[in-house]
Amino acid sequence: MNTQRIGTVHLVGAGPGDPELLTLRAARLLRDCSAVVYDHLVGQGVLDMINKNARRIYVGKESGRHTLPQDDINALLVDLAHEGLDVVRLKGGDPFIFGRGGEEIEQLVEHGIPCEVVPGITAASGMSAYAGIPLTHRDFAQACIFVTGHLQNDTVDLDWQTLARPHQTVVVYMGIAALGEICRQMMAHGLPGTTPAAVVRHATLPDQQVLAGTLGCLPAAAVAAGIASPALIVIGDVVSLHDRLKPAK
Ligand code: SAH
């Protein structure tokens, strides 16, 4: 084997779960690669599409529990490429939306490793289509904001003033643990308690769960329904369309 050859790393978005939402390019790379490094959020249907001879490396990342620290993941990608392997770094959704794709690419570029990014359907887009909640709508929302609701020191540090404006949709990633605090802050900054809001778990997968309500009642309802991560929180009048637009089963 020519040990001089450096492999290419493709940072590939796996979409929100349903394997049919992969891009054609992602499917081709999964078929042709020699190693795959994947996260917790990549669905089984997508993993089934990986070439059987490829080396598979799971690097975890369930909320708060990193199987491998980010620095080690970065180093792993560099090492695999130096071994001459063509690597698919597979990430849930889109690599550049709350996916730390920027950090990984930066490392690869610094080490002179050839790399490319393949976009994926982000969870919010998948959720929107599969739950019948348009992200924008001429009558209800002229803007859509994606934020992370990740808790740090038991608080969520967000620009509540901006998020609580009317006529927009707010989608919160990684926010389930902070759902109560998020709804409380949105109301404290001016949105009525009757504002439609929903949580959507396992969007696009066969066991997708949609819990629609209002800012005032959603936190208690989510606890009662036992909604856990991975789930999105959607806040805004577009949520009121869910009843009419949800796909027929
Ligand atoms: N890069 C990913 C997001 C990673 S952050 C993307 O573009 O979608 C992880 C968070 O994404 C989870 O905590 C959850 O809020 C959201 N998420 C990912 N997949 C999801 C799914 N199928 N259904 C609901 N939320 C999902």
Side-chain angles (χ1 to χ4, degrees):
M1 187 178 124
N2 177 5
T3 49
Q4 297 305 100
R5 180 182 184 274
I6 297 181
T8 299
V9 177
H10 283 94
L11 208 59
V12 176
D18 182 344
E20 292 208 338
L21 295 180
L22 275 184
T23 59
L24 294 174
R25 189 141 160 235
R28 175 174 59 76
L29 289 165
L30 288 177
R31 197 189 58 217
D32 295 344
C33 67
S34 37
V36 178
V37 177
Y38 66 99
D39 282 347
H40 168 62
L41 276 176
V42 176
Q44 188 56 46
V46 174
L47 295 179
D48 290 344
M49 295 174 68
I50 301 171
N51 158 6
K52 297 287 175 266
N53 298 316
R55 198 187 301 175
R56 290 172 184 226
I57 304 167
Y58 172 68
V59 291
K61 261 198 204 169
E62 290 168 58
S63 52
R65 274 194 291 144
H66 289 210
T67 305
L68 209 59
Q70 188 64 46
D71 284 348
D72 293 357
I73 297 176
N74 297 348
L76 172 69
L77 296 174
V78 172
D79 289 349
L80 291 170
H82 278 142
E83 266 190 62
L85 299 172
D86 286 319
V87 183
V88 168
R89 170 67 176 114
L90 195 56
K91 290 175 162 291
D94 182 272
F96 280 173
I97 297 186
F98 305 125
R100 304 186 77 165
E103 294 164 52
E104 292 180 16
I105 277 292
E106 218 177 305
Q107 282 291 314
L108 293 166
V109 169
E110 258 175 41
H111 284 84
I113 309 286
C115 50
E116 272 178 45
V117 181
V118 180
I121 292 183
T122 191
S125 290
M127 171 288 296
S128 163
Y130 284 56
I133 302 176
L135 294 176
T136 66
H137 187 292
R138 272 164 43 133
D139 298 335
F140 300 114
Q142 283 78 50
C144 175
I145 304 179
F146 295 169
V147 290
T148 165
H150 194 65
L151 276 172
Q152 265 173 336
N153 304 325
D154 283 334
T155 64
V156 198
D157 189 18
L158 290 170
D159 179 357
W160 300 110
Q161 210 74 50
T162 300
L163 297 184
R165 290 205 184 115
H167 312 301
Q168 62 184 18
T169 306
V170 176
V171 182
V172 188
Y173 287 66
M174 295 172 278
I176 289 304
L179 178 63
E181 168 74 356
I182 290 166
C183 292
R184 200 180 62 73
Q185 290 282 8
M186 294 294 266
M187 291 187 285
H189 287 81
L191 282 185
T194 51
T195 305
V199 287
V200 183
R201 179 168 197 258
H202 281 178
T204 79
L205 290 165
D207 61 344
Q208 168 176 294
Q209 244 179 312
V210 183
L211 186 68
T214 61
L215 277 182
C217 73
L218 195 62
V223 170
I227 301 265
S229 195
L232 294 167
I233 306 167
V234 199
I235 300 165
D237 290 334
V238 288
V239 172
S240 64
L241 295 165
H242 161 70
D243 258 346
R244 268 190 296 142
L245 301 188
K246 65 185 168 209
K249 278 265 157 85

